[in-house]
Amino acid sequence: MLSLIVFLPAVVAAVLLLVPATAPRRVFTGAWVGVSAVDLALVVAVWLTPGSGFRFEERVAWMPTVGISYHVGVDGISLPLVALTAVLFAGCAVFALRETRRVKSYVALFLALQTVSLGLFVALDLILFFLFFDLSIVFMYFLIAGWGHGERARAAALKFFLYTFLGSLALLLGFIVLYLAAEPHTFDIVELVAADPLAGGGPAAALALLAIGIGLAVKTPTVPFHTWLPPAHTEAPATGSAILAGILLKMGTYGFLRIAMPILPDTWRQYAVVAVVVGVVSVLYGALVALAQSDVKRMIAYTSVNHMGYVVLGVGAAGILAGSDEQARQLATTGAVTQMVAHGLITGALFLLTGVLYDRGRTYDMAAYSGLAARTPLFAGVFAVAAFASLGLPGFAGFIAEFQIFTGALASAPVATALAVLGILVTAALFLRALQRVFLGPERLPDAPGTPRPFADLHPSETVAIVPLLALATVIGVLPRFLLDVIEPASRALVELVAR
């Protein structure tokens, strides 16, 4: 079942490559919508299948002489991210129905990226994880460079590739250290967790955690490894930004939960306070720099640094045993996973909305717009909902996640948690300021001061792509049990592994 979910988009991409590029563009975008709908239905079937621990496991020897296998499976930490991937790619597929530029290549690249994103979240072998991790960089590079905003997009794509590729090399170094420490040598994540090959810490364990931590921190990204993110987001097409923020950033934070914490529990506990400090610095830095932006897309990009900082704070707090009990650490872990899902849905919607703004006005500069609420009430209303969801208002998924992180982290890291709460205040200020500047006041549009010009409200395909993302964020905010019931058992098991 999992292999079908993972590789179905790639198979469809291969078939589409045989179709002439002169075929109607709806052939390509329609195929993407169709395969995304099938993938989403299969993920729902997996979600509804009862079970505990790793489910739907598949394991086939790949390179047995070096302990590498095709090993996949899902648990309560990976399944929500697999579902998020299916939902967000489906939304982007619908949004792309209006795409007109080299649609065949565009759809094929997104389908390939869909496969590697799903594959990473189900991978239970370090080399398989690394393979999907690196391929995601390659496909996103071509999407930013090929469908971004001209020469600046190519420069941003190059910076994105070099930064994240360097991070992946550090990640590979850490994986090799783990492989050499295990007896017998293996890259299998489940076997490495059981063996705890670097128990007791020491220089080798510290080196492995440092290398893996840097590789994942670049991808997340956390301060000071975040500088590739704003230009990549700003210059990427809207769908590329939505997938970059909604899915690719989660590959970093997911790696902390799937690899660093359970395979290196002693060392994670020893250095967990470093993760807490990096998390809270990212929260505050991301929020304050976002507040200073006049470019709405760049502003949202920096809020991603802020929001991913909450996740790092949560996973760091889950490793500090002093002053906290198991329930608090479990709460912090559950909050971190919930925050990944919430951020993916909400920020994915926000980036698609900035794509609508750019499509109409050809600029992201907030100073170029004013009074859009009167002309585009649906666009203004949906943007307002997304903004309030992103700032963590009760009733949305972000509130559930941040409440759990703060509650779980407060006992073990009270000062850091108190400082992180300030990030919510700054985020509220920047989103309210953006809403006032763009949607309220006298009407002003780019390049046509005071004169009417075409500026359409949301098209049906745009509405169908964006509104369900926010609706799901609202359902999680109001009725979170269906999600928490999946995450909590896996969080409990992870916390027990870290404390062993």
Side-chain angles (χ1 to χ4, degrees), residues 200 209 261 264-273 316 318-321 496-500:
L209 183 59
M261 294 173 70
L264 294 161
D266 294 317
T267 315
W268 183 262
R269 292 199 305 272
Q270 188 178 353
Y271 295 102
V273 68
I320 299 177
L321 304 190
E496 290 172 357
L497 285 171
V498 172
R500 62 181 158 165

Side-chain angles (χ1 to χ4, degrees), residues 395-447:
F396 294 104
F399 173 78
I400 299 293
E402 289 163 13
F403 172 77
Q404 291 181 106
I405 291 172
F406 293 148
T407 307
L410 188 61
S412 58
V415 175
T417 306
L419 289 172
V421 172
L422 294 176
I424 294 181
L425 184 63
V426 180
T427 307
L430 68 91
F431 271 115
L432 290 174
R433 189 193 62 161
L435 288 173
Q436 288 180 349
R437 293 177 70 176
V438 176
F439 296 104
L440 303 181
E443 183 176 301
R444 183 173 65 252
L445 298 173
D447 302 324

Side-chain angles (χ1 to χ4, degrees), residues 281-466:
V281 169
S282 298
V283 165
L284 295 176
Y285 179 85
L288 290 171
V289 177
L291 184 63
Q293 301 304 311
S294 59
D295 182 309
V296 65
K297 204 174 184 188
R298 204 171 178 86
M299 179 195 80
I300 296 169
Y302 274 109
T303 65
S304 289
V305 178
N306 160 266
H307 283 112
M308 299 315 289
Y310 293 123
V311 178
V312 177
L313 170 63
V315 299
I320 299 177
L321 304 190
S324 67
D325 56 21
E326 184 176 319
Q327 185 178 7
R329 297 194 297 276
Q330 181 188 328
L331 202 56
T333 307
T334 302
V337 179
T338 308
Q339 175 73 343
M340 286 191 263
V341 176
H343 178 263
L345 293 171
I346 297 166
T347 305
L350 278 169
F351 275 122
L352 294 181
L353 286 164
T354 61
V356 174
L357 188 71
Y358 187 85
D359 178 69
R360 311 297 195 266
R362 313 312 297 175
T363 178
Y364 297 118
D365 186 3
M366 287 187 280
Y369 302 93
S370 178
L372 289 188
R375 178 175 285 228
T376 57
L378 179 58
F379 175 56
V382 175
F383 197 102
V385 170
F388 283 116
S390 187
L391 62 86
L393 203 68
F396 294 104
F399 173 78
I400 299 293
E402 289 163 13
F403 172 77
Q404 291 181 106
I405 291 172
F406 293 148
T407 307
L410 188 61
S412 58
V415 175
T417 306
L419 289 172
V421 172
L422 294 176
I424 294 181
L425 184 63
V426 180
T427 307
L430 68 91
F431 271 115
L432 290 174
R433 189 193 62 161
L435 288 173
Q436 288 180 349
R437 293 177 70 176
V438 176
F439 296 104
L440 303 181
E443 183 176 301
R444 183 173 65 252
L445 298 173
D447 302 324
T451 59
R453 62 169 291 174
F455 201 98
D457 209 340
L458 287 180
H459 293 293
S461 63
E462 294 166 341
T463 305
V464 171
I466 297 168

Side-chain angles (χ1 to χ4, degrees), residues 173-226:
L173 172 64
F175 290 173
I176 291 173
V177 173
L178 290 176
Y179 169 80
L180 294 175
E183 193 59 50
H185 298 325
T186 181
F187 285 104
D188 190 87
I189 292 175
V190 177
E191 291 181 3
L192 286 168
V193 169
D196 192 6
L198 291 170
L207 173 63
L209 183 59
L210 178 65
I212 292 171
I214 289 175
L216 298 175
V218 171
K219 191 81 166 185
T220 296
T222 65
V223 176
F225 304 109
H226 65 287

Side-chain angles (χ1 to χ4, degrees), residues 466-491:
I466 297 168
V467 169
L469 302 178
L470 298 174
L472 188 52
T474 307
V475 170
I476 294 172
V478 177
L479 301 168
R481 241 6 299 161
F482 80 96
L483 177 63
L484 299 182
D485 283 345
V486 172
I487 299 173
E488 285 175 349
S491 296

